[in-house]
Amino acid sequence: MIVAVKASSLNYHDVFTRRGMPGIKVPMPAIMGLDVAGEIAEVGPGVSGWKRGDRVLVDPINRVEGGLMGETVHGGLAELCKARAHQLIKIPMACRSPTPPRFPSPTAQRCA
């Protein structure tokens, strides 16, 4: 799935990743950006239930294959980003704000 990024954030995780995190080797160059919201620009082959233009949030953790956006795979500080279909969360049509609300990310959980 290709997501056209409409909102992203730069948070402490991105800064730590760029500076180097103890015990985690991040190959550079890397595109940071843990938190992503946007619209589906391209639906991957064999994927159903999604269509071009659907508004989505991206769960930064790939809970099936492993990996974290902006750390082990490229993140959302870009015009387009790639994510697996199981990482997408549909934004309801009732949510009309230009910038969708953020969802609890690992950053929010660590700060709580």
Side-chain angles (χ1 to χ4, degrees):
M1 306 291 284
I2 304 296
V3 176
V5 177
K6 302 296 181 188
S8 188
S9 67
L10 179 66
N11 59 46
Y12 90 95
H13 183 272
D14 302 306
V15 175
F16 286 161
T17 299
R18 175 63 184 95
R19 287 185 178 165
M21 298 173 71
I24 300 173
K25 179 112 173 115
V26 178
M28 294 293 172
I31 299 171
M32 304 300 144
L34 186 68
D35 302 315
V36 182
E39 295 177 357
I40 294 176
E42 186 177 323
V43 177
V47 173
S48 61
W50 297 102
K51 66 181 182 314
R52 185 181 173 104
D54 282 347
R55 297 173 48 201
V56 295
L57 298 172
V58 180
D59 180 350
I61 302 170
N62 184 330
R63 298 172 195 280
V64 174
E65 297 146 338
L68 181 63
M69 291 184 74
E71 185 178 281
T72 59
V73 297
H74 290 311
L77 293 177
E79 292 179 23
L80 301 170
C81 75
K82 187 166 40 170
R84 306 295 260 169
H86 64 265
Q87 290 177 260
L88 303 181
I89 303 162
K90 191 165 188 166
I91 298 173
M93 288 305 295
C95 179
R96 293 270 178 206
S97 66
T99 304
R102 290 201 37 197
F103 61 101
S105 70
T107 299
Q109 292 169 1
R110 289 183 187 131
C111 290

